[in-house]
Amino acid sequence: MMLFVVYVVVVYRFLISGIDPSVFIGMFRSSDSPFTPGLAYNMYALAYVLFGVAIPLEQFSEWLSVPECMVYVRRGRGPGRFLAYLLMITAYCVIYTLIQAMIQQIMFPDENPVAFVGSAVCATCVLLIAMLIANFGYLMGSRIAGYFVMAALLGLLMSFSGLQRWLLASGLAHAPNWIPVAALTIPICAAVNLIAFDRMQIL
């Protein structure tokens, strides 16, 4: 509950900060100023992901890893359970983003909705990938390593303007490059998690 309250304050500060409201709060932005470090410029986007991962308090990972009670043979921890886990965290990421997006659009209704929706979808994908990376560490029995890798990749994304510009630039079919990157990265992260999940069942 405390994490939620703190993040509400973070969102409020963003809404009154004067930062371009046509971009979703959780979307990384490329800084044009050489005097502003990329990580500092993207502190709200970073907070969006970190609080998004932290607020559930690993409840999804615990649900996935805990065997069925009162069952001698561990039924219910097959591919169906893993698929249900993926659906749950995806729904969580969408709802978490949607609530903030609605608040932002209510306060700034005159902004470009198409660009805004695109930035919200991108932020949702980043959050989903971060949760899958953290969950992989959980399933492998090394939470610290999982969170470290997640934080390192987020730091890379939020810090380097060259990477950000490339992800936002138009690629195939005039779509931004982050779309194929997300379409490739999410299934890879899910597959790696499934391998860890199957390994956990064998052990």
Side-chain angles (χ1 to χ4, degrees), residues 112-128:
N112 184 350
V114 176
F116 181 80
V117 170
S119 65
V121 172
C122 181
T124 304
C125 292
V126 173
L127 174 59
L128 179 58

Side-chain angles (χ1 to χ4, degrees), residues 27-31 38 42 122 126 152-170 176-179 181-182 185:
M27 179 65 175
F28 56 85
R29 304 158 189 254
S30 178
S31 174
N42 284 294
C122 181
V126 173
L153 293 176
L154 283 174
L156 178 67
L157 174 61
M158 302 297 176
S159 299
F160 291 96
S161 58
L163 174 60
Q164 296 159 5
R165 292 191 189 98
W166 180 81
L167 289 171
L168 295 173
S170 297
N177 288 320
W178 67 261
I179 294 179
V181 170
T185 305

Side-chain angles (χ1 to χ4, degrees), residues 9-182:
V9 175
V10 172
V11 173
Y12 173 75
R13 287 181 60 85
F14 168 80
L15 294 173
I16 65 173
S17 66
I19 296 176
D20 181 12
S22 66
V23 179
F24 178 64
I25 180 177
M27 179 65 175
F28 56 85
R29 304 158 189 254
S30 178
S31 174
D32 295 324
S33 172
F35 304 104
T36 305
L39 194 59
Y41 192 72
N42 284 294
M43 63 177 181
Y44 289 110
L46 184 61
Y48 160 86
V49 179
L50 294 180
F51 278 93
V53 173
I55 286 174
L57 298 175
E58 297 183 334
Q59 292 181 54
F60 297 120
S61 298
E62 290 178 3
W63 177 86
L64 178 64
S65 61
V66 173
E68 292 292 318
C69 298
M70 305 300 292
V71 178
Y72 182 73
V73 179
R74 293 184 175 184
R75 295 193 302 268
R77 278 181 52 176
R81 188 176 183 89
F82 184 76
L83 178 59
Y85 162 78
L86 289 179
L87 292 175
M88 283 193 300
I89 64 169
T90 300
Y92 164 76
C93 291
V94 170
I95 294 171
Y96 175 77
T97 302
L98 186 60
I99 293 173
Q100 298 174 69
M102 290 176 62
I103 294 173
Q104 197 169 331
Q105 279 293 287
I106 289 172
M107 292 193 65
F108 304 99
D110 296 329
E111 303 302 330
N112 184 350
V114 176
F116 181 80
V117 170
S119 65
V121 172
C122 181
T124 304
C125 292
V126 173
L127 174 59
L128 179 58
I129 292 169
M131 293 194 70
L132 286 170
I133 294 173
N135 183 68
F136 178 72
Y138 185 98
L139 294 179
M140 294 298 292
S142 182
R143 291 182 176 90
I144 295 177
Y147 286 117
F148 176 80
V149 172
M150 180 197 74
L153 293 176
L154 283 174
L156 178 67
L157 174 61
M158 302 297 176
S159 299
F160 291 96
S161 58
L163 174 60
Q164 296 159 5
R165 292 191 189 98
W166 180 81
L167 289 171
L168 295 173
S170 297
L172 296 175
H174 303 290
N177 288 320
W178 67 261
I179 294 179
V181 170

